Amino acid sequence: MRIDCKHVWEHISAYIDGEVDAELRAEIDSHLETCEICSAVLDSTRNVVVLLADDRVFELPAGFSNRLHARLEKELELAGS
Amino acid sequence: MTALNPQFGTDCIRRILAGERQLFHELIRPCERAIYFLLLSLLRNEAEAEDAAQETAIKVYLNLKNFRGDAQFRTWVLSIARNEGLGRLRKAGTRREDSLDADTDEQTGDYTPAVLACWREVPSDALERQELGTMLRKAIDGLPEIYRNVVLLRDIEEMDVRETAAALAITEGAVKVRLHRARALLQRELAPRLEGFAPKRKGMFGWLKG
């Protein structure tokens, strides 16, 4: 059975996460070989996922960790007194 | 993201409870980012998310003796963070229940992706990445809360489906469905604005041809 574009889009997230079974993966792969559109949709969705995981894109506010540990330190001192 | 070694966690907790309080700094450190981004997702305000993150860390410390070890430490910490965030929203009366109820997992929507043939590579240039990051943060801010929480834990903090489900108190199936929709919405939102980030080589050949 040949799957259509819409079917591929429905499974794109699971495909990126390696969560589709071998049969479906093969169908999607064969569709991607001939479909420029789905291939671009896959690439751009994967790029979104790559960027999301990039620590430089999502940084903690400057000094966040220092302020957190300073406040914790006060609490730890209180607990010890 | 640094994953917490379970053995280190268990030892650490035992020693903290036995009096080595300073070790708590090391125990909580690998969870800091996830705590902050989950709270930012809920509260949508950096200063408040930071304050809530500090409160969460203190609550984790004060309740450490109640940690049973039947869940992963970070999952337990994130459920405390979630309660802290939800408590603040309830207190402020700003929780938009409609955004939660109106968009259930059973509802089917139109998640047609944006079709864009030229955005094939993530730019390696630092400045371009930074610009993309700004766009991405805005796009995430515009997602419904149920999608935002999932994408923050799964894709930004790279937690697995099981841990994300446990931290958000939803099923693994819901995590997968929401993540799929969140990614599709982000792709659709971002792709049309990303033409400027297409590999420059293509444009140059286009110009030469023209």
Side-chain angles (χ1 to χ4, degrees):
Chain A
M1 180 196 83
R2 275 193 71 79
I3 54 175
D4 60 17
C5 296
K6 197 150 192 203
H7 197 153
V8 170
W9 298 342
E10 274 168 23
H11 294 285
I12 261 183
S13 189
Y15 180 91
I16 289 172
D17 290 337
E19 282 174 359
V20 293
D21 62 38
E23 195 184 341
L24 181 57
R25 173 162 291 270
E27 284 177 14
I28 294 175
D29 284 339
S30 111
H31 179 96
L32 288 171
E33 275 173 25
T34 54
C35 181
E36 275 275 323
I37 292 173
C38 284
S39 178
V41 168
L42 173 69
D43 285 344
S44 56
T45 307
R46 191 182 270 140
N47 285 346
V48 168
V49 176
V50 167
L51 281 167
L52 287 169
D54 188 334
D55 285 353
R56 292 166 297 182
V57 172
F58 289 91
E59 282 182 333
L60 286 169
F64 171 87
S65 197
N66 291 341
R67 290 189 294 275
L68 173 72
H69 287 277
R71 184 153 168 204
L72 268 178
E73 188 55 41
K74 278 190 199 157
E75 197 64 33
L76 297 180
E77 276 169 19
L78 272 178
S81 60
Chain B
M1 180 201 67
T2 323
L4 187 67
N5 175 329
Q7 189 55 45
F8 167 78
T10 313
D11 280 357
C12 211
I13 291 166
R14 191 176 43 75
R15 287 169 61 190
I16 294 164
L17 291 174
E20 291 183 64
R21 294 189 305 274
Q22 288 302 321
L23 272 176
F24 185 72
H25 289 289
E26 301 321 309
L27 181 68
I28 202 74
R29 215 178 283 279
C31 304
E32 281 172 25
R33 267 182 64 94
I35 295 173
Y36 175 76
F37 284 116
L38 177 59
L39 285 163
L40 183 63
S41 169
L42 287 167
L43 301 170
R44 306 176 86 178
N45 173 299
E46 288 194 5
E48 188 161 15
E50 176 160 349
D51 188 63
Q54 293 178 357
E55 283 296 324
T56 299
I58 291 168
K59 283 184 181 162
V60 169
Y61 174 72
L62 295 175
N63 287 290
L64 202 55
K65 60 181 181 304
N66 299 325
F67 175 64
R68 293 280 166 253
D70 47 2
Q72 279 196 47
F73 178 67
R74 188 174 54 175
T75 310
W76 181 69
V77 168
L78 289 177
S79 63
I80 293 175
R82 191 168 52 89
N83 285 336
E84 175 69 24
L86 293 180
R88 284 177 183 234
L89 289 176
R90 268 195 297 271
K91 223 175 186 174
T94 53
R95 180 134 217 233
R96 294 163 311 158
E97 296 292 345
D98 59 344
S99 75
L100 295 178
D101 298 336
D103 204 353
T104 64
D105 292 319
E106 288 73 32
Q107 192 183 21
T108 53
D110 176 17
Y111 293 94
T112 312
V115 175
L116 179 94
C118 56
W119 191 46
R120 293 245 165 171
E121 292 166 24
V122 175
S124 52
D125 180 78
L127 194 66
E128 286 190 346
R129 269 185 183 248
Q130 212 175 1
E131 283 177 45
L132 269 181
T134 308
M135 283 187 204
L136 201 48
R137 282 192 295 271
K138 274 193 193 145
I140 287 174
D141 199 44
L143 289 177
E145 180 189 305
I146 59 168
Y147 298 155
R148 206 165 57 233
N149 294 343
V150 169
V151 91
L152 272 150
L153 296 184
R154 279 285 286 129
D155 281 345
I156 299 179
E157 282 307 300
E158 298 177 271
M159 285 169 46
D160 63 26
V161 173
R162 206 171 139 192
E163 206 187 348
T164 305
L168 296 175
I170 57 177
T171 64
E172 292 183 24
V175 170
K176 289 180 190 177
V177 169
R178 292 178 192 186
L179 182 66
H180 175 66
R181 291 180 183 170
R183 286 172 174 173
L185 288 168
L186 291 175
Q187 191 271 355
R188 196 168 61 184
E189 174 72 17
L190 289 171
R193 306 195 203 167
L194 290 166
E195 282 169 293
F197 293 99
K200 296 195 168 51
R201 210 156 34 88
K202 259 185 194 166
M204 193 175 79
F205 287 142
W207 176 76
L208 284 174
K209 271 185 210 160

